[in-house]
Amino acid sequence: MLDSKQCDAFYAVIEAGSFENAARKLNLTPAAISIRVQSLEKELGLLLINRTKPCTTTKSGQFLLEYLH
């Protein structure tokens, strides 16, 4: 089962375009957002986010994003 806090962090990064903006949106630190996303990626065994400016989904991340909608 997917962890809701990890999924919220992933979704926020994609919606906000960066870990910093996602952190502000969720009232967390960028490090906390990063840890949650990394934990989700580790659990799934997939890279979900391209860490570019702005952040974008990988192909696997796009599938997860569609699932979360």
Side-chain angles (χ1 to χ4, degrees), residues 4-20:
S4 64
K5 290 182 180 182
Q6 292 172 349
C7 290
D8 288 346
F10 163 74
Y11 191 81
V13 170
I14 298 306
E15 289 293 306
S18 72
F19 284 78
E20 294 80 14

Side-chain angles (χ1 to χ4, degrees), residues 26-43:
L26 296 178
N27 296 313
L28 297 168
T29 64
I33 296 294
S34 180
I35 289 167
R36 289 180 183 187
V37 170
Q38 287 175 359
S39 295
L40 180 60
E41 290 177 325
K42 185 176 180 182
E43 185 176 319

